[in-house]
Amino acid sequence: MSDDVLRIRTPIGIKYQYSAGPRVSSHLHGLMDGRFVGKRCPTCHLVYMPPRNGTCAKCGCLLGEDVEVGQRGTITTFCIVNVPFLGQTIKIPYVAATILLDGADMGMSHLIQEVEAADVRMGMRVEPVWRPRDEWQPSMENVLYFRPTGEPDAAFESYAGQL
Ligand SMILES: [Zn+2]
């Protein structure tokens, strides 16, 4: 019998404080009201939702005015997660997708639920399912997931530039 330690299990964690700053605060305040507030680039006019770090990836300039985008959006790309992992809370298979909210020019990632993974497709129209209001924080976690709206799929040309 060996005395070698082959494995240990220990909890680890990192505590940090995020300073949103003026470029992201309106987005976080919007989430506390159940709204998606992004920002427009003053140079190229792209609308970022979420507003990332407050700068335009294309121009490098600071994002400008607030823009409230729609609650609904279109799945541009997605992946089906089939791999179990430690701490997983969602039953596999499940779908993680890039969603282009109506009025936004950049997609964001979120879960897709209330539909079989095999039925998810590019162009599918989706809407958010919000947590109960008394659980809301300034976080995208206020949205539990997105689900299909039942609308006809968006035309490929409407999101082809996002791929
Ligand atoms: Zn720009």
Side-chain angles (χ1 to χ4, degrees):
M1 183 172 180
S2 168
D3 290 333
D4 292 343
V5 176
L6 301 178
R7 178 184 289 182
I8 64 169
R9 181 179 291 222
T10 180
I12 59 171
I14 299 173
K15 287 189 174 184
Y16 60 91
Q17 186 168 356
Y18 173 73
S19 297
R23 303 283 175 225
V24 181
S25 290
S26 54
H27 166 66
L28 298 175
H29 284 296
L31 291 171
M32 290 298 291
D33 293 332
R35 300 179 298 123
F36 294 133
V37 178
K39 285 207 173 278
R40 185 185 315 277
C41 173
T43 303
C44 70
H45 309 293
L46 292 177
V47 173
Y48 287 82
M49 186 16 248
R52 305 175 355 106
N53 61 359
T55 58
C56 178
K58 183 176 177 184
C59 307
C61 58
L62 293 175
L63 298 178
E65 67 175 327
D66 290 342
V67 178
E68 182 172 351
V69 303
Q71 293 276 314
R72 293 183 169 191
T74 300
I75 293 175
T76 59
T77 59
F78 65 95
C79 73
I80 299 174
V81 179
N82 284 301
V83 180
F85 55 86
L86 188 65
Q88 193 168 46
T89 58
I90 305 167
K91 182 177 167 240
I92 57 172
Y94 66 89
V95 174
T98 300
I99 301 163
L100 182 64
L101 291 173
D102 296 347
D105 293 305
M106 297 290 166
M108 58 171 221
S109 298
H110 218 295
L111 294 171
I112 306 297
Q113 300 274 279
E114 296 189 32
V115 59
E116 292 295 323
D119 293 333
V120 174
R121 56 196 178 271
M122 294 168 68
M124 178 178 264
R125 298 283 296 157
V126 292
E127 63 187 0
V129 174
W130 295 81
R131 289 182 186 278
R133 194 174 193 109
D134 61 353
E135 296 178 15
W136 285 1
Q137 301 287 322
S139 166
M140 276 301 290
E141 290 185 10
N142 291 355
V143 176
L144 290 167
Y145 55 83
F146 281 74
R147 67 183 175 198
T149 64
E151 297 171 280
D153 288 358
F156 178 74
E157 296 75 25
S158 69
Y159 61 88
Q162 294 291 316
L163 307 177

